[in-house]
Each structure stands twice: as structure tokens, then as C-alpha cells.
Amino acid sequence: MALTDTKIRNLKYIPGNRSKNWYSDGNGLYLVVEKTKKVWRLRYKLKGWKTHKPFTIGEYPYMSLSEARKKAIELKTLVQQGIDLQKWKKQKELEEFKLQNRKRVSELIDEYLEVKKQNVSETRFKKNYVGTFKNYVIPFIGSKFIDEITKQEILNLIKEVPKIKLKNATRSTNKTYKAKEVLLILRDLFQFGVDNDYLDNNPAYNIKIDRILPQHKEQHISALLDINELRELYKKILNIDNPLTSKILQFQALTILRNGNIRNLKWEYINWERKLIIYPKEAMKASHSDFRLPLTNTLIEILEYFKQLSGDKEYVFISSKTNKPISENFLSDKYKKLGYKGIHSPHSWRSSFRTIAAECLEEHKCGIEAIESQLHHKIGDKVVQAYLRTDFLGHRRVLLQWWENKLLGNI
């Protein structure tokens, strides 16, 4: 017998017999009277099942009799299509949860950066991650929901990257090196979203940069390879009127450090007693190991000079104008003023050192391994690297003293 509103209101819970509290309205719809509430349930059965399953529709009186009948018809239509209502409900709840907790790309970036900053150096974090997102990603897709981002949108973004010319940028546009970097970071960002169950798929996963942009031809950095020309340059560095500039350029020429490692050198890295600088691997471009840099007497004198100027500063090389670590362009600008634009740059010292030191193996007797180690390059294949547990520190201390004497013309 079909239920009525009057009958439903008068129904009372009957203890001791569960089946007596189930009241049928027909077509599998039941009102179940419990101690504290009355619940609408639909009994359904799929093909191949031996028994029926109950499925909760709603609670009376929040769901009226007419609403329950209408809902039961909708659900029975799903059952006729072979859909298990229990699984269907879980899927709907999951979709609702994701809808309520949708993240925008900018929000995902914030979470991603919180994790990433624990794994890379501060300098690399700000430049390669924070800067890349700020300049190349957020302006295009930062406000969009992550589940709306398609492969096509990623492709469009990547194609725009080479056209972007940033303020104070030292490199020209129409380069694919930055597009490749942006793609790799986006791929890692969206994989972070997948791994944290914010996304089902990574829209940047299967994109090949060489298929959408012309291949970038690497430009070899010009470098002086003649020792007499290098001696002339080194002499000009020593004669620069500003001692701060002179000593920073001198320090790089003698250590062969990358520009970033000059800028990110912190006082906490220096071990005065052992005459060493120990860069943690997170601070190095090739982050496969810590890097120990032996200090000659000249290098110690330079560091002592800056120690007197620094006070309680964190970084060693501080700009006198900004009272902050020297800028990314500080070193290259000085070589331009010396007249070496396109001829020799800060990074060129690494090529100069590698070439001349390799040509003079009989002179310094330190070996190719010591030269490569001073450049913080990996030596040999994976098998060699697994067994090679030395960084040739003693040989490199001799090598750097030889290099200084070579530049001074003493040998």
C-alpha cells in the first residue's frame, strides 16, 4: 500500500523487530523508521546479483514523499543502465569534494614552492622557480583552475615564452632555452598536483619542445685562451681603482667559480682554520655533491678584506650601493667597462683555466682529475663515480697556487 503524509507522520519506531520498521511505497521505495529519524531508502538489484541492496535517498521530513518518489524514479533509471548506486554515490561525492576544493594555478604554485625551497639553494629557488613562475606562468594561467588547464593551453604558453623580453635581461629574445626550462617546471608543477590528488592527469606530460619550437643553437662563450692575453687582463683587474670591484673580479679569476657561486657565497661556508670554503650541494649548479674550495693566501687576504666591510652581513660580496649581495649583472658589466665585451666574460675564466691547465699538465703535475674537480664536474661514467670518493683537495690546493702564479707571470 502506498504511503501518505498522514500515515508517515503517525509512524512510530517499533523496537525488537527491524523488518517491522520498513514501510513500502512501491517500486522499491521504503521509509525506514529509526529511533531518532525517518529515512528514505531504495532497494535495488543489478543483473547477476542474488540479493537487493538498500540505498539511502534522504531523510523525512527534509525530503518529502513526492520528492522521494521523484528521486527514486531517477535512481531506478540509473540501475536499469547497470549502474551500482553505491559506487555512483562515492564517485559523486569525490567529484563534489574536488569541485569544492578546486585550486587555481597560483595556489598550486604556492604549495609547490613551499616544498621546492627545501630542496634547492636560495639563489636557484628565487631565480629558477619564483622568477620563472612570476614572469612566464602566472601572467598567462595563474588565475585559472588547475583542472581547466589543457595541453593546448600549455602549448600556447610555451610558444609565447621566447618572445618575452624581461626588464634588464642580458639575453635576447627568440631563444628556446627558457621555453624548455618553463616546460620542465610546468611538468613538475602539474605532476605535483597529480601526486597530491588535486589532478587526474598532467597536461604538460607528453610535450616535446623541439616539436613546437625551432631548436636553439648553443652559442659558445668567447674566452681568452692565450696566457699572455690573460695576464694582461688579470693585470687590468688588479689595477682597477675601486678595490671592492678589483678584489671580487680577482677572486673569481683565481677560484674559477661560476657567477652564481660568487654571488651566493656566505660567511658560514668558510672554514678559516682549514683554509676552505665548503659549498653545500644545494648551492651548486651541479648539485651532485658538496664542493670544497681550497684557499690560497691571496684568497684569504681578499676574504679578510671583505670581512672587515661586511659587519653582520650574511653574504660575502655586498654591493656598496644597495648593501645587498652583488647583482647578477655586476661581474659582466665590469668586463664590458674593461673593453672585453664579446671577448671574455666572468664565466670565460672556466674555459681559460680548463684549456691552459690541461696544456700544462707536466708543469703543475696535478692531473686532469684535479682540473675537472676544481670545475665541479663529474669525473668518468657512473661506475667510476660510484668508486671515486676523493675530490683531489690536496692537488687542487697546489693547482690554484700554480694558476695564480701563472697569471702573475711568475712561472
Side-chain angles (χ1 to χ4, degrees):
M1 183 180 295
L3 296 171
T4 63
D5 284 315
T6 302
K7 182 176 181 179
I8 292 173
R9 286 193 296 268
N10 293 326
L11 291 175
K12 304 294 182 182
Y13 174 71
I14 302 174
N17 193 329
R18 182 174 178 272
S19 61
K20 289 184 178 181
N21 292 297
W22 283 64
Y23 298 90
S24 175
D25 187 60
N27 291 321
L29 178 62
Y30 287 81
L31 181 71
V32 182
V33 181
E34 300 179 355
K35 287 184 179 181
T36 58
K37 59 185 177 181
K38 298 173 181 177
V39 181
W40 292 109
R41 288 198 173 99
L42 178 71
R43 295 181 78 244
Y44 72 102
K45 181 180 179 182
L46 293 179
K47 186 177 180 180
W49 288 9
K50 293 182 179 181
T51 58
H52 288 77
K53 285 185 179 180
F55 181 78
T56 301
I57 296 179
E59 185 177 339
Y60 183 87
Y62 308 110
M63 176 180 280
S64 67
L65 174 59
S66 60
E67 290 172 334
R69 288 171 175 168
K70 183 178 179 181
K71 188 66 177 177
I73 293 173
E74 294 175 2
L75 293 174
K76 285 183 73 67
T77 301
L78 296 177
V79 172
Q80 290 171 357
Q81 297 171 6
I83 296 174
D84 185 341
L85 297 182
Q86 301 290 353
K87 294 180 179 179
W88 171 82
K89 180 181 179 182
K90 289 181 180 179
Q91 182 63 32
K92 295 290 288 185
E93 289 174 346
L94 179 61
E95 292 174 359
E96 183 66 24
F97 175 81
K98 287 186 175 182
L99 187 62
Q100 293 176 355
N101 293 275
R102 293 175 84 194
K103 289 185 180 294
R104 297 187 185 274
V105 173
S106 59
E107 294 173 326
L108 183 66
I109 289 173
D110 288 341
E111 284 192 32
Y112 173 83
L113 290 177
E114 280 297 314
V115 176
K116 183 58 68 174
K117 73 178 180 181
Q118 308 296 327
N119 303 318
V120 298
S121 68
E122 182 179 356
T123 301
R124 186 182 175 198
F125 175 73
K126 290 181 179 179
K127 179 182 177 181
N128 291 18
Y129 291 94
V130 176
T132 296
F133 284 127
K134 177 182 177 182
N135 296 318
Y136 299 100
V137 178
I138 293 177
F140 292 95
I141 59 173
S143 62
K144 295 187 176 183
F145 288 108
I146 59 175
D147 57 350
E148 292 177 343
I149 302 300
T150 63
K151 180 178 179 179
Q152 187 60 52
E153 284 185 285
I154 300 294
L155 289 170
N156 293 340
L157 186 155
I158 295 301
K159 290 177 182 178
E160 289 298 316
V161 169
K163 304 175 186 177
I164 299 172
K165 177 72 172 177
L166 301 181
K167 185 179 180 182
N168 299 323
T170 57
R171 300 194 190 186
S172 62
T173 56
N174 297 322
K175 303 291 186 181
T176 59
Y177 71 93
K178 193 63 187 181
K180 184 175 182 180
E181 181 182 324
V182 172
L183 176 59
L184 291 175
I185 289 179
L186 281 174
R187 189 176 294 161
D188 199 39
L189 171 71
F190 287 111
Q191 189 58 45
F192 174 82
V194 172
D195 293 342
N196 284 276
D197 203 27
Y198 300 144
L199 280 170
D200 293 327
N201 300 294
N202 185 340
Y205 179 71
N206 195 26
I207 297 176
K208 304 290 186 181
I209 194 73
D210 295 337
R211 295 177 183 174
I212 58 176
L213 290 173
Q215 189 171 2
H216 171 57
K217 296 181 179 180
E218 293 291 340
Q219 293 183 344
H220 294 287
I221 298 174
S222 300
L224 296 176
L225 302 178
D226 181 270
I227 188 58
N228 292 318
E229 293 178 338
L230 284 168
R231 285 169 177 166
E232 182 181 349
L233 170 58
Y234 189 66
K235 185 177 181 179
K236 289 181 179 180
I237 290 174
L238 295 179
N239 291 331
I240 293 175
D241 291 336
N242 186 330
L244 185 146
T245 299
S246 175
K247 290 182 183 298
I248 294 178
L249 266 62
Q250 185 185 0
F251 189 86
Q252 185 183 41
L254 295 179
T255 59
I256 325 299
L257 285 171
R258 294 182 175 91
N259 299 356
N261 294 131
I262 295 292
R263 297 195 306 273
N264 70 14
L265 177 56
K266 298 181 180 180
W267 290 111
E268 66 183 71
Y269 297 166
I270 301 173
N271 187 318
W272 298 97
E273 293 182 2
R274 298 176 61 191
K275 296 184 178 181
L276 280 177
I277 295 175
I278 305 176
Y279 282 92
K281 63 182 180 180
E282 295 81 11
M284 303 302 294
K285 179 181 179 181
S287 57
H288 52 82
S289 64
D290 294 347
F291 178 65
R292 298 194 299 171
L293 174 69
L295 296 174
T296 63
N297 291 335
T298 301
L299 294 174
I300 290 175
E301 290 174 5
I302 293 173
L303 291 172
E304 287 176 341
Y305 171 83
F306 282 96
K307 188 65 176 175
Q308 294 176 356
L309 300 177
S310 71
D312 59 351
K313 299 293 190 303
E314 180 181 9
Y315 291 89
V316 174
F317 300 119
I318 303 294
S319 169
S320 58
K321 294 182 180 179
T322 64
N323 210 27
K324 296 179 179 180
I326 57 174
S327 69
E328 182 178 353
N329 300 326
F330 177 90
L331 294 165
S332 58
D333 287 345
K334 304 309 176 187
Y335 282 89
K336 292 177 184 177
K337 290 181 180 179
L338 287 173
Y340 285 84
K341 181 179 179 180
I343 301 173
H344 195 87
S345 67
H347 194 80
S348 299
W349 281 108
R350 296 173 65 80
S351 295
S352 302
F353 168 79
R354 174 64 176 80
T355 301
I356 294 174
E359 291 175 348
C360 299
L361 289 174
E362 289 298 320
E363 194 172 301
H364 55 70
K365 301 185 186 303
C366 294
I368 285 291
E369 292 84 1
I371 297 172
E372 293 297 326
S373 186
Q374 181 58 35
L375 294 166
H376 199 230
H377 290 165
K378 290 183 178 181
I379 300 172
D381 57 21
K382 292 183 178 180
V383 175
V384 173
Q385 293 163 21
Y387 287 94
L388 188 64
R389 302 300 176 90
T390 180
D391 61 358
F392 304 95
L393 183 64
H395 287 86
R396 289 194 291 120
R397 196 179 292 277
V398 173
L399 184 62
L400 288 189
Q401 187 60 62
W402 168 85
W403 177 242
E404 181 181 351
N405 290 333
K406 196 74 173 175
L407 292 176
L408 290 170
N410 296 337
I411 53 176

